[in-house]
Every structure is written in structure tokens, then in C-alpha cells.
Amino acid sequence: MSVETITFGCRLNIYESEAMERQALDAGLAGAVIVNTCAVTAEATRQARQAIRRVAREKPDARIVVTGCAAQIDPAAFAAMPEVAQVLGNHEKMQAGSWRRLADFGIGASERVLVDDIMAVRETASHLIDGVRGHTRAFVQVQNGCDHRCTFCVIPYGRGNSRSVPAGVIVDQIRALVDNGAKEVVISGVDVTSWGRDLPGTPLFGALVKAILRHVPDLPRLRLSSIDSVEADDDLLDALANEPRLMPHLHLSLQAGDDLILKRMKRRHSRTDAIRFCWDVRRLRPDVVFGADIIAGFPTEDEAMFSRSLDLVEECGLTHLHVFPYSPRPGTPAARMPQVARPLVKERAARLREAGDAALRLHLDGERGRTRRVLTERGGIGRTEGFTPVRFPGGVAAGEIREIVVADHDGRMLVAG
Ligand code: SF4
């Protein structure tokens, strides 16, 4: 009997679920169900509660263990659910000892909640995994937590302050994954560009990227998860310009296009910084593809401010747009600011998504007839180096890097010739 994990949220959670599943199994918790929650939006927390109730209905004997950012921020809310056997904090969930302890207690134990102060955590417990089941690309955690305090964000309260995994541990992890057949590794964390600040000599993120490519020469593709453009250092830009194995795809945490809104969000970049960064990177790496996170309807945002987020799509040449309708998170400064009416938040999110769809179609049109290297995945699809999805009409085996000529697209993904 195995341990099942239900994972919400980011790649870091996916990576951690992989590690937890093994630790829980090693501790003898077969039959347990781990719900690894996310707290970025109220909707994510609601879905986790819904999943817990569903599991309890479908598997009445299963021991349900809840963890992740929503559990870290509000453990009592999950402990109050009769369906929940135990609640584990984000630090505790990565300790083998926590799972052994849970195995010893059995259901109904007094210590149902093992959640410590995440702000007191100083190290990042990295785990050597040999792959991420069901995923062709392997996510590797290089950093956890965040030192910034953007006014809309609860992540630091779920993950604590920034802490880095030493470069040597990361290189060993990636080498093990490549030896195990991984064709692509995705560098993951909460604020990866702050990697190294807490390490001796305070190395910068670009140095880590170069070290990985130097020490794992047989790694075919290295991809970055989301980055904060204002923290991109010279080595990172140099690697983008000169390292073909570093994928020409950057997902930017832009959030808005208006300077006053960026200020009220406590972001560290201006509109001009964002646009200039994209132009500079495109000059260094002409085939680069940008994705970005943008929030619609941040408190105090008026129509003129919103239009500056809307036209950022074109100004920065964004292709893969992730749109977040603003969601007030309890305890954040933004939740206390004058709110934009809900219908307007939703309407603006829809207009941003339309702009994103139009930008994606423009990108897909431009890909027709081009030759692309694609990493194939399950389900007859794959991803280009620019992270654009590709469908293989005749099906394809997962885990291969194939050179294709793009025959067409269906408005959402390319079609391989
Ligand atoms: S940088 Fe800002 S948005 Fe990102 S995790 Fe940190 S506080 Fe949240």
C-alpha cells in the first residue's frame, strides 16, 4: 500500500511532496494521504479543504495529514476539521523524524499539530530525490522562504525568511537526477534570485547557474522557475547570452504595470525597469520567451493604472501570462487598503487574460515552419525550449528530446510536423 499526496500550488510544493511521500512510506505510514496546501489565494485554501472532505468520504480509514503554507499559517483551522488526523508545519514536513513521530502516535493522538515558528527556521532541509513521478522534468529546490514583504503576499508567513541550499548539494542533486535519466531540471524556490545571500561569501544566483552547467556537463536542459527581474545579476545575464543549455524562457514576477501600484505592492522594480529588462535580455538572447505573473484589481487600482498593466503585455513582449484576480489575504497590508469591487476585479482579470491569449496566438503564429527542440512528456505533448506546448498528433514516447518542424497551432499549442 502506498502513501498518496495531493499537492496544491507551486513547483516547490511538488518537489516537497515527492520527498514527503518517501519519508512517510519509510516511516511505515502506508495508506496515509498527505494534503500539501497552498495559501496564495483564498480559493487555493478552499480547494484544499474540499479535497480533505472528499478523501475522508472516499477513504474513511485513511489517515489524513495536512501540511503546506495554508496549514503553516492557520494550523488551528485544519486541526478543527474532524477529518484531519495531523497537521504538520512547512519545516516539520521535511524532517524524517516528524513522520516517524506521527507513525508512533496513531490517530487521535494529543500531538495532532506539529507546527513551529517558521520565521525561526534558518536552514533549508534539502532532500536527494531521484526524480519527480509523473513529471518528465525534475524540480530542484535551491532556496526557500522570502525576505521581501510584498503587501499582498502571505508566502513569507508560510515559508519563513530566505535560506539557500549550498551549491555543492544542488550540483550533487542534479547530477543524481541526470544519472537517473532526467533530461531537464527546473530550478525552484520561493525567491530564487535571492539565492546565496545567506551563504558564506554571499554568492549570487548567476554564479549558481554557471556552476550547475559547468559541473553537470551532460545535463541537456536547465530551466529557471519564476524570477524577480530586478534581482537578475550579470552572471545570470551572461549565462542567458552564452549558455545554450540554459533555456531561453523567463517567467517574471511583474505583478503590475503602474508605478504607484508597484509602490503600494512594495515591489522593488518600476515599469521602466521591467520593460528595459525584457529589451536587454531579448538583445542578449533573441529567442527568449517571457512569461509573467500579473495581478488584476489590486486595491486602489483605477482604470488608467490598470491600462498600464494591460499594455505591459505588449511592451515587454509577454507570451505566457498568468493572471491573478486580486485576493485579499488575512493579515496582509493590502487587505486593509480600499478594495476594488469584486465584479471589476473579475472583469479586469478577464481583459488581461484576453490580452494574454492574443499575445500567445501571435507567438504561435510566429512559430509555424520553425525547427524546434522539444522535450516530450506524457499524453502525446511536449515543450519547446521556450516552454511552448507542442502536440504530437501521432502520439510520442515521454522523456525524449526531439527536433521537429512546427506544422501548425490550435491557438493554445503548437502541432508537430
Ligand atoms: S517576493 Fe513578494 S510576492 Fe514573492 S514570495 Fe516574496 S513577498 Fe511574496
Side-chain angles (χ1 to χ4, degrees):
M1 197 163 24
S2 66
V3 169
E4 181 191 347
T5 48
I6 300 173
T7 305
F8 294 89
C10 62
R11 289 173 171 142
L12 198 47
N13 253 11
I14 295 172
Y15 165 87
E16 291 170 338
S17 287
E18 193 68 31
M20 286 192 284
E21 217 170 288
R22 286 149 207 238
Q23 291 182 317
L25 211 53
D26 294 349
L29 287 167
V33 176
I34 303 170
V35 180
N36 195 6
T37 65
C38 167
V40 163
T41 63
E43 176 59 16
T45 306
R46 191 189 64 75
Q47 287 176 6
R49 298 172 72 83
Q50 206 177 35
I52 291 165
R53 293 194 191 97
R54 189 187 67 249
V55 170
R57 271 195 315 277
E58 292 166 3
K59 299 181 175 180
D61 300 331
R63 179 195 301 215
I64 300 176
V65 179
V66 181
T67 185
C69 292
Q72 174 70 47
I73 290 169
D74 192 359
F78 290 97
M81 296 178 73
E83 300 89 347
V84 172
Q86 269 107 10
V87 181
L88 269 188
N90 262 337
H91 180 63
E92 290 76 17
K93 76 180 183 187
M94 300 306 279
Q95 317 296 317
S98 304
W99 296 98
R100 283 196 297 275
R101 230 164 123 186
L102 295 185
D104 299 342
F105 288 132
I107 290 180
S110 59
E111 283 205 336
R112 286 181 65 225
V113 178
L114 297 177
V115 178
D116 278 341
D117 174 11
I118 194 77
M119 293 299 177
V121 176
R122 291 288 169 266
E123 88 284 346
T124 287
S126 66
H127 295 271
L128 274 189
I129 59 169
D130 51 22
V132 177
R133 214 155 318 130
H135 292 265
T136 308
R137 52 186 56 77
F139 309 123
V140 170
Q141 175 186 4
V142 301
Q143 179 273 348
N144 202 342
C146 183
D147 292 340
H148 304 299
R149 295 292 182 271
C150 302
T151 57
F152 54 84
C153 183
V154 290
I155 297 173
Y157 311 105
R159 293 218 168 252
N161 290 318
S162 182
R163 42 214 198 270
S164 308
V165 178
V169 175
I170 297 167
V171 167
D172 290 348
Q173 166 70 89
I174 294 178
R175 195 175 287 127
L177 289 163
V178 171
D179 291 349
N180 221 33
K183 296 281 188 315
E184 181 174 305
V185 164
V186 183
I187 286 184
S188 306
V190 172
D191 183 28
V192 294
T193 34
S194 69
W195 177 87
R197 296 223 187 109
D198 55 323
L199 296 176
T202 61
L204 296 177
F205 181 58
L208 173 66
V209 169
K210 286 187 170 181
I212 293 168
L213 293 166
R214 189 167 57 249
H215 294 296
V216 194
D218 45 349
L219 168 65
R221 296 162 62 124
L222 181 65
R223 190 177 299 281
L224 308 181
S225 61
S226 186
I227 68 161
D228 199 340
S229 55
V230 79
E231 295 176 341
D233 61 274
D234 294 346
D235 269 330
L236 180 61
L237 296 178
D238 182 58
L240 271 165
N242 300 307
E243 294 277 3
R245 292 183 294 135
L246 180 57
M247 296 294 100
H249 164 232
L250 293 180
H251 192 82
L252 308 176
S253 182
L254 293 182
Q255 309 303 353
D258 177 80
D259 285 341
L260 186 52
I261 292 293
L262 287 167
K263 199 153 175 276
R264 289 176 179 160
M265 287 177 164
K266 270 184 93 180
R267 297 296 296 173
R268 287 128 336 254
H269 69 271
S270 70
R271 173 188 176 77
T272 307
D273 293 335
I275 296 170
R276 186 177 304 130
F277 176 81
C278 293
W279 288 7
D280 290 348
V281 170
R282 203 176 288 290
R283 225 186 358 263
L284 292 169
R285 186 78 180 255
D287 60 341
V288 72
V289 176
F290 291 113
D293 295 337
I294 298 187
I295 294 175
F298 182 82
T300 76
E301 181 191 71
D302 64 19
E303 186 54 33
M305 293 165 168
F306 173 67
S307 67
R308 283 187 274 278
S309 288
L310 210 48
D311 67 27
L312 204 61
V313 177
E314 194 180 331
E315 292 273 0
C316 287
L318 306 176
T319 297
H320 305 298
L321 201 59
H322 293 181
V323 175
F324 295 86
Y326 173 73
S327 168
R329 306 307 292 134
T332 59
R336 296 189 292 275
M337 296 178 190
Q339 304 290 300
V340 173
R342 211 67 226 151
L344 200 46
V345 171
K346 289 188 176 153
E347 186 249 336
R348 287 180 182 164
R351 285 162 61 194
L352 257 178
R353 288 195 185 99
E354 269 167 35
D357 291 347
L360 176 61
R361 267 196 305 279
L362 209 58
H363 166 72
L364 297 174
D365 288 343
E367 291 291 288
R368 278 201 188 99
R370 290 185 186 269
T371 300
R372 291 293 181 223
R373 291 168 59 77
V374 175
L375 174 59
T376 60
E377 301 171 9
R378 293 173 172 212
I381 65 161
R383 295 258 180 187
T384 66
E385 297 186 343
F387 209 58
T388 304
V390 181
R391 185 159 46 79
F392 289 80
V396 70
E400 295 172 2
I401 296 179
R402 287 194 172 202
E403 194 161 274
I404 63 141
V405 176
V406 177
D408 200 355
H409 72 79
D410 63 8
R412 304 252 25 114
M413 58 173 73
L414 301 172
V415 179

